[in-house]
Every structure is written in C-alpha cells, then in structure tokens.
C-alpha cells in the first residue's frame, strides 16, 4: 500500500478550512494540519513531511498567502496550489512569479480539486532531476519513534498517567472532555486542565483505549458522556461546540441506540 499524500491547508476562514479538510479526506488524502496564518504554516512545514500545500492568497496577518508560499518554498520546495475568490492583476502577477502548480477559484469543486492535486504532484515529480530520498512509511518516521519513546501513557483501571511538567499525572478517563489535534501534537482537555502530548490524535485514542472517546473530526474526539446536544455539523458540550466531520458522522451516530 502506498503512503497517503500529506497536504497542508493554509486558510484563515475556519468553516472553509474544515470543509476543505473533509473533502480532501474523503478523496483519500491526509491533511497533515491547517494554518490560518503564515508563521504557523511555516512551522508545520518544518515539522512535517509535506507533499503539497493548498494556500489561500488572501490570508490575514503579516504575511499574505503569496509571501507565506514563498517562505515555504525557500524552506523546502513542494507543489503549491493557490486558492482565491477574485483578485487583481497585480496580486495575480505576484502569485505567478512563484510558478504555482495550480490556481483554484473558490468555491472549490471536488473534480477541480482532484485534478489540480494530481496534476500538481505529477508535474512536480517530473520537474525533479535528481532522485528524491525514498519516503519512509508513516509508521517508520523517526518522529513517530520519538513520540512513542518520550510520551508514554500509562493505563491503570479507569485512569491513565501522562507525563506533565516532569512528573506523571493521574487522570480519570471519564474526566476527559475532549481531545484536540494540532499538527503532531494533541491536547487532552479536562474540566480543570489542558495537557499537551507530542503524539498524533490517532496515537492518543489508541493508547487511551476508552470506548466513550469517539472521533468526530480530523482534529477532535469527544467523551460521549460530555455531549449535551448535536446536529448535522456540530457536537456540543456544556461550554463549547466542536465540528462534526462528514467522514466521522456515521461512526459517531452508531454509538446511540435508535428506538
């Protein structure tokens, strides 16, 4: 089985970013992370092995999408697909100087997105004159080995011990409200504390092995005991609402007995 294509989304509109993530995952791609500003995008690029970036030209912050893309390419060349609504000729000329792999007009369609990605990856591969370093599988990346070694989760009965500030802290599994992914880190949230783990969300869910903790989105899993309401797009706890991704909706609903 070939490794999934790792994609970074750079988009400052949260709803559009989540919809784009869902579309990409439905098409079989792996969204390594989302960034709503240039510095965060560069940090994710430095920390992860990316195959492609989808970048909105008009993101807010000190760097617009074009400058962000330029800094990504300076760090390490990858295919860039620019996203935008309508733009002026000066901005378009700036973007074209970076020789982007594609240019998609919003709203993005699935056929257009699929075609742009496949063409971008093919053209980028053909443009490399020297053989690239073989991509390790996701399970053999050094970072993952480091995670497994430095971030232990110790299970005992209905609680776990996790390392926090140089000591192991006991957390009752039922005290977990939700967990949130951010790139290669995952934050475990309880009513009183937040604990950051240098593990992917999939690793955390596997290691907690808590049936009531259910994945509802690429970036979130919730404790079903904490759910107060939900609808087609959101799962709400007492203090906040989290997005319900289309890929995870069926699995989420199967935990409820329909009478």
């Amino acid at each position: 089985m070939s490794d999934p294509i790792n994609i970074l989304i750079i988009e400052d509109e949260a709803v559009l970013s989540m919809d784009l993530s869902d579309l990409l995952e439905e098409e079989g791609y792996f969204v390594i992370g989302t960034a709503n500003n240039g510095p965060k995008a560069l940090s994710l690029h430095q920390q992860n092995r990316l195959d492609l970036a989808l970048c909105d030209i008009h993101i807010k912050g000190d760097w617009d999408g074009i400058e962000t893309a330029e800094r990504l390419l300076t760090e390490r060349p990858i295919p860039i697909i620019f996203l935008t609504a309508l733009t002026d000729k000066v901005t378009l000329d700036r973007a074209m100087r970076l020789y982007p792999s594609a240019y998609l007009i919003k709203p993005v369609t699935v056929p257009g997105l699929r075609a742009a990605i496949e063409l971008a990856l093919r053209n980028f591969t053909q443009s490399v004159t020297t053989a690239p370093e073989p991509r390790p599988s996701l399970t053999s990346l050094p970072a993952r080995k480091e995670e497994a070694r430095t971030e232990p989760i110790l299970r005992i009965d209905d609680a776990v011990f996790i390392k926090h500030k140089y000591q192991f802290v006991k957390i009752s599994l039922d005290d977990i409200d939700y967990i949130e992914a951010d790139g290669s880190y995952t934050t475990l949230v309880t009513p009183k504390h937040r604990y950051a783990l240098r593990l992917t969300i999939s690793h955390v869910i596997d290691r907690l092995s808590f049936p009531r903790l259910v994945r509802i989105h690429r970036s979130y899993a919730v404790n079903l005991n904490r759910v107060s309401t939900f609808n087609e797009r959101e799962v709400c706890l007492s203090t906040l609402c989290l997005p319900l991704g289309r890929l995870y909706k069926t699995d989420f609903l199967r935990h409820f007995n329909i009478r």
Side-chain angles (χ1 to χ4, degrees):
M1 182 182 295
S2 61
D3 292 335
I5 302 301
N6 295 331
I7 296 179
L8 171 64
I9 298 173
I10 308 168
E11 169 63 66
D12 61 358
E13 294 187 43
V15 174
L16 294 180
S17 179
M18 288 188 291
D19 285 346
L20 198 53
S21 295
D22 289 342
L23 287 177
L24 289 169
E25 290 194 336
E26 286 176 356
E27 290 298 307
Y29 301 108
F30 182 76
V31 179
I32 205 74
T34 61
N36 60 6
N37 60 72
K40 182 176 181 180
L42 180 59
S43 176
L44 287 170
H45 185 37
Q46 292 168 337
Q47 295 173 17
N48 299 279
R49 191 181 185 92
L50 298 179
D51 296 302
L52 181 143
L54 292 169
C55 183
D56 187 351
I57 285 182
H58 296 293
I59 59 172
K60 300 179 178 67
D62 294 335
W63 311 345
D64 66 2
I66 298 172
E67 183 174 353
T68 296
E70 186 173 13
R71 290 176 184 255
L72 296 184
L73 294 173
T74 299
E75 178 73 23
R76 186 173 65 254
I78 58 171
I80 300 288
I81 297 177
F82 279 127
L83 306 172
T84 189
L86 299 176
T87 192
D88 59 274
K89 186 177 185 304
V90 173
T91 302
L92 181 60
D93 288 343
R94 282 182 59 220
M96 291 301 105
R97 283 199 292 270
L98 295 181
Y99 298 100
S101 299
Y103 191 92
L104 289 175
I105 303 296
K106 297 179 182 178
V108 176
T109 64
V110 173
L113 180 63
R114 185 189 305 125
I117 292 173
E118 295 304 316
L119 184 61
L121 293 171
R122 180 177 302 178
N123 289 343
F124 183 78
T125 300
Q126 292 175 350
S127 69
V128 178
T129 57
T130 58
E133 179 184 355
R135 285 185 65 198
S137 67
L138 291 177
T139 56
S140 65
L141 284 174
R144 299 295 170 86
K145 292 182 180 179
E146 182 70 16
E147 288 169 3
R149 184 167 62 249
T150 61
E151 295 287 0
I153 296 178
L154 310 177
R155 177 74 181 265
I156 179 170
D157 298 327
D158 294 325
V160 291
F161 285 86
I162 64 172
K163 200 167 186 180
H164 179 66
K165 295 182 179 179
Y166 308 106
Q167 63 182 348
F168 281 94
V169 177
K170 185 179 181 180
I171 302 171
S172 171
L173 289 172
D174 200 47
D175 282 344
I176 298 171
D177 288 339
Y178 65 97
I179 59 175
E180 177 181 1
D182 186 1
S184 58
Y185 287 82
T186 299
T187 300
L188 189 154
V189 182
T190 70
K192 296 182 179 179
H193 299 286
R194 297 172 64 92
Y195 303 94
L197 299 170
R198 195 175 188 277
L199 290 166
T200 64
I201 189 170
S202 296
H203 276 99
V204 173
I205 292 173
D206 288 343
R207 295 188 186 191
L208 291 178
S209 188
F210 181 39
R212 305 300 288 171
L213 188 66
V214 177
R215 191 85 173 262
I216 61 167
H217 186 269
R218 176 186 55 81
S219 300
Y220 296 99
V222 299
N223 181 348
L224 292 178
N225 294 337
R226 294 289 191 271
V227 174
S228 57
T229 63
F230 65 87
N231 56 42
E232 289 294 314
R233 295 183 63 86
E234 292 181 325
V235 175
C236 295
L237 287 65
S238 60
T239 57
L240 83 166
C241 291
L242 302 172
L244 176 59
R246 284 175 286 185
L247 285 178
Y248 304 95
K249 188 181 301 181
T250 300
D251 184 62
F252 172 72
L253 292 175
R254 75 175 179 80
H255 289 82
F256 298 89
N257 293 322
I258 301 175
R259 300 180 183 275

